[in-house]
Amino acid sequence: MDKPEKTMMKGTDAIGEAAIQAGCRCYFGYPITPQNEIPEYMSRRMDEVGGVFLQGESEIASINMVLGAAAAGVRAMTSSSSPGISLKQEGLSFLASLELPAVIVNINRGGPGLGNIAPSQGDYYQATRGGGHGDYRMPVYAPASVQELYDITMKSFDIADLYRTPVMILGDGMMGQIVEPIVMHARPEVDLPPKDYILDGAEGRPSRIVKSLILDVRLMEEHNWKLKRKYDLMRNELPMHEEFMTEDAKMVVVAYGTAARIAKGAVNRVRSNGLKVGLIRPITLWPFPDEAIAGITKRAKVILVFEMSTGQMIDDVRLATQGKVECEFYGRPGGVVAAPQEIARIIERHWLQKEL
Amino acid sequence: MKKVFTRPECLKRTPFHYCPGCGHSIIHRLVAELIDEMGLRGKAICVPPAGCAVLAYNYFDIDVCESAHGRGCAIATGFKRALPDRFVFTYQGDGDMAAIGTAETIHAANRGEVITSIFVNNAVYGMTGGQMAPTTMLGQKTTTSPFGRRSKVEGFPLRITNLIAQLDGAAYVTRTSVATPAKVMATKKAIKKAFEIQLQGLGYTLVEILSPCPTNWKMTPVESFKYLEERMEKEYPLGVFKDITKD
């Protein structure tokens, strides 16, 4: 991998390979469609690099195996899809409180319940609002191409170590299954703090404890504020987004992941008809790119949020824009993947109605 | 002068929070003595339960990682797979091991994870105030089986140790008791054997230890030790159920 060259790669494989390149040496997971190619890829690759691949007896067991490996100081990950991610929420809450690094991939499928195996964005709330119990947050990335899946998976391990936090990559069935050309690369050098918290046997040092039970409410309060200070730091340092044709836009579409790719096609279409429409694509869903979204209010008159759900991210858009601009919503929940033409029609309708 | 009795080095100078007559204090001491005697402190990682022994990290002067209720064997699996040359053990109660953590326990055993589980069975949920456990005996009154456990309503007591002995991944499976000093010494021998088998990398090892809970049994410590021997040991016969170094 000295010379960057393009290779065709499937989304799930890009996640797996990036994790391997990032030094992930423990993968624990349980089969669920549409993400089975990740454990399948990892079962082969971990063997080649001398890492650990283990198919757990459940998602619950798998996330707790991740917890053990992370506490042992090894880069660890798991992946699943919506119903399986629900089962992992207990473990996510513990990882957050124990301040252990881990990477969790959710290839979001149609829900609620068993739902279906089609691409969906119904897990936005679960991903960005904690999901598990207690007052915690967790960085959530929403890549929109195979290259970005690769880059962000690689980056996630550093973010997890840097802030000692679980990190979620929120994809969907489309992101997992598409095959695109990508450039693979080695992990860039990152300054990371020493892992002085790990449990590997107290040889020549005082024994250590990894725990989240804090019975003294004042100390538990302080632990919560300590986490909050860390989350504030993340809010300052982590937000990422992409802007597309927003400079002169009177209307801006906000969409992430697969929905953003569809929206981009729609923006290109309406642009060819002379409509000044742009796109903002949040890459981090938590922390949300508030400033970038707020920036729209200075230029555009209307925001159209497009999600493959009944409307979840729109709450964050409204919070970021503070009512300074009209927010419209269009959603296709349940696993339906809209075509760009459909979104273009919605954009045109709003354009005419608002007399832009 | 020769010192004949002292606190184990890997037991912190913290008074146990356990109730008078509770078996946990005895079992903690046995584990600590063995870690000292076998020179394991520098490579030991303990995963205690959510349950009465949740505070084990206040007592064991070794690396300790908390677990969510029932997840001990999964977390221990993570540790052992990540660091195969370390010594990893879970310390669990009956609710943790045989109710909410049944899947984690059975599958870790069946995979032959090279870990040891110290399973303290006192037939009730102790920390939460004496509710019915999977191991509660028929007729035994608890706060959630106030009429005594009835097989037709609450089902039968679960002998998970006997179940685990059937699994190919299990290397050493035994049940002991702390009812008398002799049985305490036998328990120590059993734990030592389990630890040795783990160090040899032979598979999953489990020591179930029958232990009194005078507080939730509503007995004096003396009565509870008598009940332990006369009632509980009948329901849960002591013995070695599997030992691949002998079979």
Side-chain angles (χ1 to χ4, degrees):
Chain A
M1 236 160 291
D2 297 321
K3 198 173 134 203
E5 60 179 51
K6 284 194 171 178
T7 37
M8 295 297 283
M9 209 167 206
K10 193 176 185 174
T12 46
D13 293 359
I15 293 170
E17 189 53 36
I20 296 285
Q21 296 301 327
C24 172
R25 287 298 176 270
C26 279
Y27 175 95
F28 305 99
Y30 184 85
I32 181 170
T33 310
Q35 64 82 53
N36 294 317
E37 294 86 342
I38 302 177
E40 285 167 2
Y41 189 87
M42 293 309 251
S43 67
R44 290 192 303 271
R45 285 293 279 138
M46 280 299 186
D47 193 61
E48 288 167 8
V49 300
V52 173
F53 169 86
L54 184 59
Q55 185 172 314
E57 64 272 21
S58 68
E59 284 91 349
I60 300 170
S62 301
I63 190 79
N64 282 287
M65 290 171 187
V66 166
L67 192 157
V74 176
R75 285 192 157 181
M77 78 179 290
T78 184
S79 62
S80 190
S81 180
S82 309
I85 295 293
S86 294
L87 290 171
K88 291 188 196 290
Q89 294 304 327
E90 173 194 69
L92 287 175
S93 169
F94 274 75
L95 285 165
S97 190
L98 298 170
E99 298 190 81
L100 291 175
V103 173
I104 298 94
V105 179
N106 179 5
I107 302 295
N108 194 340
R109 64 187 239 181
L114 213 44
N116 57 39
I117 57 172
S120 174
Q121 297 184 327
D123 297 354
Y124 182 92
Y125 280 153
Q126 187 195 50
T128 60
R129 297 302 190 266
H133 61 282
D135 202 352
Y136 77 94
R137 307 286 187 279
M138 153 179 82
V140 180
Y141 289 91
S145 67
V146 176
Q147 183 70 57
E148 209 171 51
L149 278 174
Y150 185 87
D151 296 343
I152 279 180
T153 302
M154 191 171 266
K155 181 188 173 79
S156 294
F157 285 93
D158 291 329
I159 298 297
D161 273 342
L162 193 59
Y163 295 96
R164 287 181 55 185
T165 177
V167 175
M168 178 171 281
I169 298 167
L170 185 61
D172 59 53
M174 181 78 84
M175 278 299 111
Q177 298 299 319
I178 49 171
V179 176
E180 287 181 327
I182 70 160
V183 176
M184 289 197 280
H185 53 82
R187 186 171 76 93
E189 280 295 314
V190 183
D191 256 351
L192 293 170
K195 293 192 172 190
D196 55 5
Y197 56 88
I198 65 166
L199 307 183
D200 57 353
E203 186 64 56
R205 61 159 170 81
S207 59
R208 291 177 183 151
I209 300 166
V210 170
K211 72 175 179 91
S212 66
L213 179 75
I214 305 170
L215 292 170
D216 184 327
V217 293
R218 286 162 305 179
L219 294 179
M220 191 71 217
E221 183 185 32
E222 186 40 51
H223 182 59
N224 273 269
W225 286 123
K226 179 191 166 202
L227 294 177
K228 167 72 163 64
R229 288 192 290 275
K230 193 165 82 170
Y231 299 143
D232 286 345
L233 213 60
M234 293 182 195
R235 280 181 202 272
N236 285 333
E237 294 171 353
L238 294 185
M240 282 171 71
H241 73 285
E242 182 201 349
E243 294 199 29
F244 178 68
M245 296 192 143
T246 54
E247 302 80 20
D248 61 344
K250 289 184 174 178
M251 186 197 287
V252 171
V253 181
V254 183
Y256 69 94
T258 292
R261 290 185 64 143
I262 299 167
K264 201 178 230 178
V267 167
N268 279 326
R269 277 178 172 264
V270 298
R271 278 271 171 183
S272 65
N273 294 336
L275 275 57
K276 289 181 175 172
V277 178
L279 169 74
I280 289 197
R281 176 173 73 88
I283 298 172
T284 51
L285 302 182
W286 195 94
F288 197 66
D290 292 317
E291 275 184 39
I293 303 288
I296 305 174
T297 59
K298 297 192 187 87
R299 291 169 275 164
K301 290 183 175 150
V302 177
I303 285 177
L304 173 66
V305 177
F306 168 49
E307 295 179 70
M308 289 153 70
S309 73
T310 55
Q312 300 187 16
M313 180 182 67
I314 188 168
D315 289 0
D316 285 333
V317 174
R318 285 193 172 123
L319 283 169
T321 53
Q322 308 259 325
K324 287 176 188 154
V325 62
E326 265 187 277
C327 277
E328 298 292 342
F329 177 75
Y330 186 70
R332 293 304 305 267
V336 175
V337 181
Q341 296 92 308
E342 183 178 339
I343 308 307
R345 278 201 302 277
I346 302 300
I347 293 170
E348 283 162 357
R349 195 181 76 203
H350 283 295
W351 186 275
L352 291 171
Q353 282 174 352
K354 316 276 182 213
E355 297 178 341
L356 296 172
Chain B
M1 204 194 311
K2 194 184 165 209
K3 201 183 247 184
V4 293
F5 189 80
T6 187
R7 176 185 286 273
E9 282 202 16
C10 69
L11 212 50
K12 294 177 186 170
R13 304 190 72 81
T14 313
F16 287 126
H17 73 282
Y18 299 113
C19 305
C22 172
H24 275 303
S25 317
I26 302 170
I27 298 162
H28 275 26
R29 190 186 162 94
L30 296 181
V31 170
E33 283 177 355
L34 284 165
I35 291 171
D36 280 4
E37 289 164 20
M38 297 171 76
L40 295 172
R41 184 184 177 275
K43 61 190 293 190
I45 298 161
C46 172
V47 182
C52 283
V54 67
L55 297 173
Y57 48 72
N58 283 345
Y59 313 122
F60 290 132
D61 190 13
I62 56 173
D63 281 2
V64 178
C65 182
E66 172 189 277
S67 65
H69 197 26
R71 315 297 176 225
C73 282
I75 291 173
T77 296
F79 272 110
K80 191 71 181 196
R81 295 284 179 135
L83 302 169
D85 61 342
R86 300 306 198 277
F87 171 77
V88 181
F89 70 100
T90 68
Y91 186 109
Q92 300 180 260
D94 34 67
D96 200 74
M97 183 108 189
I100 196 166
T102 311
E104 284 80 358
T105 303
I106 286 184
H107 285 277
N110 195 49
R111 285 191 304 266
E113 294 297 340
V114 185
I115 60 174
T116 301
S117 290
I118 307 293
F119 164 33
V120 179
N121 180 2
N122 58 17
V124 282
Y125 281 85
M127 187 178 68
T128 46
Q131 294 81 12
M132 189 187 76
T135 47
T136 293
M137 295 169 287
L138 291 179
Q140 186 184 343
K141 285 183 183 174
T142 70
T143 59
T144 52
S145 59
F147 314 110
R149 184 174 191 165
R150 301 155 296 181
S151 62
K152 282 193 176 161
V153 182
E154 288 95 6
F156 295 90
L158 180 61
R159 286 183 279 270
I160 196 167
T161 297
N162 301 60
L163 267 173
I164 286 171
Q166 311 298 313
L167 305 175
D168 290 343
Y172 178 66
V173 179
T174 185
R175 184 185 292 121
T176 67
S177 163
V178 292
T180 64
K183 283 172 180 166
V184 170
M185 294 324 290
T187 296
K188 184 173 176 181
K189 268 189 195 152
I191 299 173
K192 185 175 186 182
K193 173 113 191 176
F195 284 3
E196 283 168 352
I197 289 175
Q198 176 180 167
L199 294 173
Q200 291 161 32
L202 298 179
Y204 180 76
T205 45
L206 167 64
V207 183
E208 174 180 347
I209 304 165
L210 305 182
S211 176
C213 181
T215 300
N216 288 305
W217 290 357
K218 316 252 182 276
M219 293 176 189
T220 65
V222 173
E223 285 165 356
S224 73
F225 276 88
K226 196 165 170 235
Y227 182 79
L228 177 67
E229 197 164 29
E230 289 175 0
R231 175 76 176 92
M232 227 183 137
E233 288 181 15
K234 297 269 180 325
E235 190 77 38
Y236 295 97
L238 308 184
V240 177
F241 301 99
K242 187 166 185 186
D243 181 356
I244 62 164
T245 63
K246 283 203 177 134
D247 301 342

